[in-house]
Amino acid sequence: MQRRQFLISSGALLCAPSSLFASSPANEQASAEFSPVLSAATEPSGNRIGVWRDSGWQYSQPISHRGHDSLYHRRRKELLFFSRRPGRELYIISTETGELQHTKISENGYHYYGHGCLSVDGRYLYTTENHVDNDGAGCIGIYDCEDNYRCLGHMDCEGIGPHELALMPDGKTLAIAIGGIKTLPASGRKTLNPDTLAPGLHYLDLESQRIVEKVAAPHFQLSLRHLDVGSDGSVLIGAQFQGRLPSEQALVYFHRRGETLKAMSTDELPLRFKHDYIASVCIDDHNTWAVTSCPRDNLVCLWNMQNQSLSQVWSLRDCAGAIYDAAYQQFILSNGDGQLLALKPGNSKLKLLAYSAGTQWDNHLSLLV
């Protein structure tokens, strides 16, 4: 197979067949064909959270610091936005009025890690948290959505630095990405345990409130941070290496319950990163394709979930969020340059959906559907 060598603007080197290295849009006109998205963003006026529909904010709210992930509570018609660690704020916005209904503050001695998920019936919200008063132990908060998001308690996730979590298809188990990084607010975002990280993928049974399966990361410095769960129970998880860079470690892994982590194959598409940092992870609704964003290396990767291999790569500066938009059979991407873009598997180019000068999208997207 004829091969070419591409030098990415970030300095990451990608060797790939030319037909599989795709370009990003340059000066094309935006085409608003996508479902409304939830996201946090930074604009010249400050930090915001809200819903972007077509070519602008449908509604948004200013916040005092950066947000992180978000959820749409369909039954309650509410939007939930999480502050970025070590923030303590959970913002609840009405989808009917766009008004900020409530700001939930984490319990004393805890802060959020920026992610959460809902129970099957929507009654409970589960959040990843740092138990600061317990020397930074990780835990999962339980909140009653029907009682103004009252905290009902915390579950032990048996790991430091739980980050993203998702409900498994059985509706009874949480999959939790354990970053392993100990931080305390007094030290900011400084890693306090650089030599003793214990990252992994943990499964928590909601009925017993106990961890029922633990899968260690392949390397103690390979912090597992973001994940997505397919409808067939497969888990895709992205890593961020905490040691000397570049690490030469695989950064994206596939998992099924009862098995070990399997590195997603690059085969004849070897990826080499300079910064070893995976942000958003997203699987489509057919468990066929998945996307990972690599903002520090300015790359977006498309993975084939059926054979667990790399399929296509785009260069996209400061890429951020990724979400699958089933209504349009496409992935939506965001970046720090104010763009929202469509990625359709098999297409060689990304399609510009919307553009907002001066808007820096944060690393995660959700859909208002």
Side-chain angles (χ1 to χ4, degrees):
M1 178 179 293
Q2 185 178 2
R3 303 177 70 172
R4 294 172 59 195
Q5 194 173 61
F6 296 86
L7 185 63
I8 307 305
S9 59
S10 67
L13 191 63
L14 169 68
C15 303
S18 60
S19 62
L20 292 180
F21 185 82
S23 61
S24 58
N27 298 315
E28 64 180 73
Q29 186 175 358
S31 175
E33 297 176 346
F34 62 101
S35 299
V37 296
L38 288 65
S39 187
T42 299
E43 298 184 325
S45 60
N47 299 300
R48 306 195 73 82
I49 52 175
V51 174
W52 187 279
R53 183 187 294 269
D54 298 333
S55 59
W57 290 109
Q58 180 179 352
Y59 41 74
S60 67
Q61 293 286 339
I63 56 175
S64 59
H65 49 265
R66 284 177 58 184
H68 199 59
D69 205 359
S70 58
L71 292 172
Y72 173 35
H73 198 309
R74 294 170 182 82
R75 187 164 62 83
R76 292 183 56 81
K77 297 182 179 179
E78 293 173 337
L79 312 177
L80 311 181
F81 288 89
F82 299 90
S83 57
R84 184 172 180 256
R85 73 174 175 98
R88 298 185 59 197
E89 297 82 9
L90 167 63
Y91 304 97
I92 297 98
I93 295 176
S94 167
T95 61
E96 296 178 332
T97 66
E99 295 179 353
L100 179 63
Q101 296 187 148
H102 180 52
T103 300
K104 173 71 179 180
I105 304 299
S106 64
E107 298 294 290
N108 289 333
Y110 296 84
H111 74 66
Y112 298 122
Y113 275 113
H115 290 274
C117 70
L118 296 168
S119 61
V120 171
D121 61 3
R123 176 66 186 268
Y124 302 107
L125 169 69
Y126 306 109
T127 61
T128 50
E129 300 188 26
N130 183 341
H131 191 181
V132 177
D133 285 355
N134 189 22
D135 197 31
C139 59
I140 306 301
I142 312 169
Y143 296 84
D144 188 343
C145 303
E146 302 296 327
D147 189 11
N148 206 29
Y149 295 89
R150 179 172 62 91
C151 182
L152 301 178
H154 292 82
M155 299 178 285
D156 183 6
C157 65
E158 297 185 13
I160 292 174
H163 198 71
E164 191 163 18
L165 77 172
L167 189 67
M168 294 292 287
D170 63 9
K172 302 176 182 178
T173 312
L174 294 176
I176 308 165
I178 302 294
I181 300 173
K182 177 181 175 180
T183 59
L184 295 172
S187 306
R189 295 171 68 87
K190 179 182 178 181
T191 299
L192 302 177
N193 60 336
D195 299 322
T196 58
L197 273 66
L201 174 61
H202 293 188
Y203 293 89
L204 189 152
D205 176 71
L206 290 171
E207 183 176 357
S208 66
Q209 299 191 3
R210 294 182 179 277
I211 295 296
V212 292
E213 185 173 351
K214 298 168 70 172
V215 187
H219 190 284
F220 84 99
Q221 291 175 306
L222 197 65
S223 178
L224 303 185
R225 304 292 286 282
H226 294 106
L227 56 72
D228 197 14
V229 173
S231 59
D232 61 353
S234 57
V235 177
L236 193 69
I237 189 162
Q240 299 172 6
F241 195 73
Q242 299 300 304
R244 184 176 178 180
L245 300 176
S247 69
E248 303 298 327
Q249 294 283 330
L251 298 179
V252 183
Y253 293 84
F254 178 92
H255 189 253
R256 290 190 185 277
R257 293 286 307 273
E259 301 178 4
T260 59
L261 287 175
K262 177 182 179 181
M264 294 288 278
S265 172
T266 56
D267 292 333
E268 295 187 8
L269 295 173
L271 274 174
R272 286 190 173 88
F273 298 96
K274 286 187 69 177
H275 301 288
D276 289 20
Y277 186 100
I278 301 296
S280 285
V281 177
C282 181
I283 303 173
D284 73 7
D285 61 351
H286 301 297
N287 307 303
T288 303
W289 302 103
V291 162
T292 58
S293 67
C294 317
R296 296 184 182 180
D297 281 297
N298 303 313
L299 296 175
V300 172
C301 299
L302 177 70
W303 304 88
N304 186 319
M305 289 291 289
Q306 299 304 304
N307 58 21
Q308 291 96 56
S309 68
L310 181 64
S311 177
Q312 210 164 350
V313 180
W314 286 262
S315 174
L316 182 62
R317 200 183 82 81
D318 198 18
C319 53
I323 193 69
Y324 186 69
D325 186 0
Y328 293 91
Q329 296 292 290
Q330 64 189 6
F331 291 91
I332 301 175
L333 308 174
S334 65
N335 69 4
D337 288 336
Q339 294 177 317
L340 294 175
L341 308 110
L343 183 162
K344 289 196 174 184
N347 287 5
S348 63
K349 293 185 178 181
L350 304 177
K351 181 179 181 180
L352 185 63
L353 298 173
Y355 172 67
S356 174
T359 297
Q360 296 176 290
W361 296 108
D362 266 284
N363 276 353
H364 299 286
L365 295 172
S366 301
L367 293 181
L368 184 66
V369 296

